[in-house]
């Protein structure tokens, strides 16, 4: 048993070292010309636009369920008028960024891991190196940058959709005008609620992109390796999202933003 624990700990350190080295290579290669603008735009379209329906539906259900489930508790204390404020703070600060990041880790992380893993298995990455194309800049840098740019946009859209769903949920029992609802929402929010939530989504997006690319880029030979790359990309990036969120909350607390 101790030998297995030592092996697992050694594998963990190797994984952390590999991802760190891969990240350092991204920063070395990412700022050097030539830039793959057309591929970057294509990846932004794939990651942003094609993920939007899934994110939107999830955000709508999330806002509606959160409102309906929270109402009975607030009614016990005669505080149902605080429902818009409570839902807004919950969605903007934590639920919106984290749930959207987890959805993107599942859809985008697995997609990138499987795509690059398939290219590794079929030796397309090796062929790009032979033909003079830098596969790291073309495949990795574009996908990581696209993830980093698109995730904050998806989170903002998801937040607005959740708040609109919450407005519908509030009107299940009460009649509240949309102007009054949004006045209550925006009166309850300050920059300390919005800014840290947006900033941390850039780190979420970067982590999802870099881990998905790392898993796919160094996928083992064979179709089994592609499946393992896609699966481990989701697991590791989801775990990293939680760790980054914990760090972000602690930093915001130290800075007095909570």
């Amino acid at each position: 048993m101790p030998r297995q624990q030592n092996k697992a700990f050694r594998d963990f350190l190797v994984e952390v070292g590999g991802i760190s080295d891969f990240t350092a290579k991204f920063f070395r290669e990412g700022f050097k010309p030539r830039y793959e603008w057309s591929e970057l735009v294509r990846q932004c379209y794939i990651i942003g636009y094609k993920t939007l329906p899934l994110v939107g539906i999830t955000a709508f259900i999330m806002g509606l369920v959160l409102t309906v489930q929270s109402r009975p508790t607030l009614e016990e204390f005669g505080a149902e008028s605080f429902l818009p404020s409570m839902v807004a703070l919950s969605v903007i600060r934590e639920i919106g960024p984290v749930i959207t990041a987890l959805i993107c880790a599942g859809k985008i992380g697995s997609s990138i891991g499987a795509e690059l893993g398939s290219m590794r298995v079929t030796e397309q990455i090796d062929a790009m190196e032979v033909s003079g194309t830098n596969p790291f800049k073309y495949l990795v840098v574009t996908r990581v940058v696209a993830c980093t740019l698109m995730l904050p946009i998806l989170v903002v859209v998801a937040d607005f959709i959740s708040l609109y769903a919450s407005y519908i949920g509030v009107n299940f029992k009460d009649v509240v005008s949309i102007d009054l609802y949004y006045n209550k929402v925006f009166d309850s929010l300050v920059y300390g609620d919005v800014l840290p939530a947006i900033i941390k989504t850039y780190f979420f997006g970067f982590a999802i992109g870099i881990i998905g690319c790392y898993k796919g880029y160094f996928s083992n030979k064979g179709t089994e390796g592609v499946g393992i790359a896609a699966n481990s990309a989701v697991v590791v990036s989801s775990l990293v999202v939680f760790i980054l969120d914990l760090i972000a909350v602690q930093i915001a607390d130290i800075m007095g933003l909570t």
Side-chain angles (χ1 to χ4, degrees), residues 123-253:
E123 300 182 347
Q124 292 180 59
I125 294 178
D126 299 331
M128 291 176 73
E129 291 175 346
V130 172
S131 66
T133 303
N134 186 339
F136 194 91
K137 286 186 71 69
Y138 188 81
L139 298 175
V140 176
V141 173
T142 53
R143 282 161 176 77
V144 174
V145 172
C147 276
T148 308
L149 295 177
M150 288 295 105
L151 197 69
I153 296 174
L154 289 172
V155 169
V156 171
V157 174
D159 287 346
F160 276 102
I161 293 174
S162 286
L163 293 178
Y164 181 72
S166 175
Y167 163 72
I168 295 174
V170 168
N171 278 273
F172 280 171
K173 287 192 174 180
D174 299 325
V175 179
V176 178
S177 70
I178 194 165
D179 291 337
L180 177 60
Y181 174 82
Y182 278 107
N183 282 337
K184 287 188 175 183
V185 166
F186 289 115
D187 286 345
S188 65
L189 295 173
V190 296
Y191 284 114
D193 300 318
V194 179
L195 205 56
I198 297 297
I199 291 173
K200 68 183 178 184
T201 58
Y202 285 98
F203 291 93
F204 291 169
F206 180 81
I208 293 168
I210 204 79
I211 292 169
C213 289
Y214 171 78
K215 292 294 182 180
Y217 202 79
F218 295 111
S219 172
N220 295 322
K221 300 287 185 182
T223 54
E224 185 183 3
V226 177
I228 293 173
N231 184 58
S232 59
V234 176
V235 173
V236 176
S237 56
S238 299
L239 180 62
V240 171
V241 165
F242 283 122
I243 294 172
L244 289 174
D245 186 57
L246 177 62
I247 295 171
V249 169
Q250 295 301 319
I251 292 174
D253 185 49

